[in-house]
Amino acid sequence: MSVELISVLIAVVTVGATLAGLMQSGQRAIRAELATQRRDFNTEQTELRRELAAQRQEFSERFTALGQQIAELRERMAHLEGLLDGLREAIAIRQGAT
């Protein structure tokens, strides 16, 4: 083998090794960034789930209170209907007596 061929082979191997090293360091940086983004995403997802659970609890309490208010209104309306029925009967009896 000639000296020129050996020097070209050494240059090619050196460039290949350098490129391999650069690729590995780039991939390592990308992996580290992805791991950081995954952790951030998981943290945000956990926070969102907690917020959603709190909102669900709040809505549940509101709907329960609303149901109670509607039940109270029903009772009051039934009471008023009873009073109106009594008033109607009293008026009918008075008109019948006259």
Side-chain angles (χ1 to χ4, degrees):
M1 281 193 179
S2 69
V3 175
E4 292 173 355
L5 183 61
I6 292 174
S7 64
V8 169
L9 287 175
I10 290 174
V12 168
V13 169
T14 304
V15 168
T18 304
L19 287 175
L22 288 174
M23 287 173 52
Q24 283 183 343
S25 68
Q27 287 178 352
R28 193 174 306 124
I30 289 172
R31 282 190 191 120
E33 187 176 337
L34 280 174
T36 302
Q37 286 181 351
R38 254 189 224 128
R39 279 192 300 270
D40 292 345
F41 177 76
N42 288 337
T43 302
E44 289 178 15
Q45 188 178 25
T46 302
E47 290 173 6
L48 286 174
R49 284 182 177 163
R50 287 180 185 154
E51 286 180 26
L52 183 60
Q55 287 179 352
R56 282 182 186 159
Q57 180 66 29
E58 181 182 347
F59 284 133
S60 176
E61 291 170 359
R62 283 184 179 183
F63 283 130
T64 300
L66 186 61
Q68 290 173 348
Q69 290 174 354
I70 290 172
E72 290 174 9
L73 286 173
R74 272 193 207 123
E75 289 176 17
R76 291 170 70 186
M77 284 177 53
H79 179 71
L80 287 174
E81 284 178 7
L83 290 175
L84 287 174
D85 286 342
L87 181 62
R88 191 177 307 128
E89 287 177 13
I91 291 173
I93 290 173
R94 281 189 184 171
Q95 286 178 354
T98 56

